[in-house]
Amino acid sequence: MTHATARLLHLVRRYREPAVVQAVRSTAAAVVSYVIALRLSSEPAPLTAPLTALLVVQVTLYTTLTTGIRRVNSVVAGVLLAIGFSALVGLTWWSLGLIILASLVVGRVVKAGEFVPEVAISAMLVLGVTRVADTAWDRVLETLIGAAVGLAFNVLFVPPVWVGPASEAITDLATRMRTLLLHIGEESGDTVTVEKAAARLHEARRLDNDIAEVDGALRQAEDSLRLNPRVREGLLFRLVLRTGLDTLEICAVVLRVSCRTLTDLARARGDEPLFPPKVALALNDLYRHTAVAVESFAQLITAQVSANAEAAESRLSEELATARHSRARLAALLPEEMDRHPGQWQLYGALLAEADRVLDELSVDKRSERLMEELDRHARARRERYPRLHRLARRARALTRSRSRSGSGSGSGSR
């Protein structure tokens, strides 16, 4: 395979990445809006249309529809301000400062939300390309063309669903947690210095940054599932991934606390091994099976992509059962250690309690319970937000049931 072919294959694999899709869609929307504006506007270079399209078009359909109106408000307000200033004073250093200040104030008035700075940006850009008041209506027309193209682009060409990248991010997070669990389990029978134990603690703390990155990918996936005609059960997919990430986040916090406990234990042990061989073996088994359970849990919650839900759930249940057995064996061995080191009993108890918390969070029953709670919460929130629609749907279901009963009654009577 030549270098050029490999490079081409690499680009093909990356074509679905958010940044690539955003660049392609924004460019296409800008070009289309410019071509339309050339036909409808009297301006020789209607650049306001592609400018507006660039500001309006988004990666997902949901963000396009939810943020498009606020973006249109901000762009239109900025264009009108620029037109007014170009007719009155033109572009000078003091008029530039004045239009920025006025744009930021007007942005609050038109409720542009997080796009208030874009009022000033639009005003400055438009002020730079036109200073003639006679072109005001052309600029407004171009703005509306760009806004319409930007809003319609993702409706006509539905963007992809970003569940895949979010699932990969969750899997990578679980892999890093698994690696950390394996390392601290393997080191439980060694003489661990405080510096080495502290390094594991810092490694556990870095999981917080990883969770923040996964949360960003998951938010984009959630947006891509909303209002997307390609997805029939978007709410269920979103809640499965979100509740799964919440569980992994709790486990990461508990894992960080466990690393802190082991650091304190290493400080108390000094030159002695953390645990004697039998206890170290039981602790290593506990962490090893917990590590596999974390990995299986990630495979389970991303099963809509990997299509291995049943196998992942079976493996998760087996690993959790084995881990609980190892935990019981560890608990039976620790009283002897407590007799040898009575001042460290709270550290041993903390390790057992932290292991229990992780195993409980990863359990299939806990996951199902949390998922059902989230589904109920969303249903209640929807009823509270749209009470009239809920009443109409309830009446329609009641009417359908009454008609079905009356139809079955008449059928039995005819027989």
Side-chain angles (χ1 to χ4, degrees), residues 115-131:
F115 305 119
V116 168
E118 291 188 6
V119 180
I121 294 173
S122 301
M124 287 187 294
L125 291 176
V126 174
L127 190 62
V129 297
T130 179
R131 301 181 188 177

Side-chain angles (χ1 to χ4, degrees), residues 290-358:
T290 303
V292 180
V294 169
E295 188 177 45
S296 300
F297 181 83
Q299 293 174 357
L300 177 60
I301 63 176
T302 59
Q304 66 266 27
V305 177
S306 61
N308 291 321
E310 186 175 349
E313 184 172 342
S314 176
R315 185 185 182 192
L316 174 61
S317 300
E318 292 176 1
E319 294 298 330
L320 288 176
T322 308
R324 290 190 178 96
H325 178 73
S326 299
R327 188 268 181 205
R329 186 156 53 93
L330 176 63
L333 294 172
L334 281 180
E336 183 178 347
E337 281 298 295
M338 294 179 185
D339 293 337
R340 292 178 55 209
H341 305 281
Q344 298 165 16
W345 66 268
Q346 70 275 18
L347 298 178
Y348 299 134
L351 284 177
L352 291 176
E354 291 150 10
D356 288 339
R357 180 65 186 275
V358 172

Side-chain angles (χ1 to χ4, degrees), residues 273-296:
L274 284 179
F275 299 98
K278 290 184 179 180
V279 178
L281 180 60
L283 187 64
N284 186 21
D285 287 343
L286 171 60
Y287 283 152
R288 180 164 53 86
H289 291 292
T290 303
V292 180
V294 169
E295 188 177 45
S296 300

Side-chain angles (χ1 to χ4, degrees), residues 243-275:
T243 55
L245 179 59
D246 291 342
T247 298
L248 290 178
E249 184 175 5
I250 294 173
C251 293
V253 172
V254 178
L255 180 56
R256 184 172 70 242
V257 176
S258 297
C259 290
R260 180 68 206 187
T261 302
L262 291 171
T263 303
D264 294 339
L265 188 61
R267 183 177 294 106
R269 281 287 193 266
D271 296 333
E272 297 182 24
L274 284 179
F275 299 98

Side-chain angles (χ1 to χ4, degrees), residues 18-35:
V20 177
V21 174
Q22 172 69 6
V24 172
R25 290 178 175 275
S26 298
T27 302
V31 171
V32 170
S33 62
Y34 181 75
V35 172

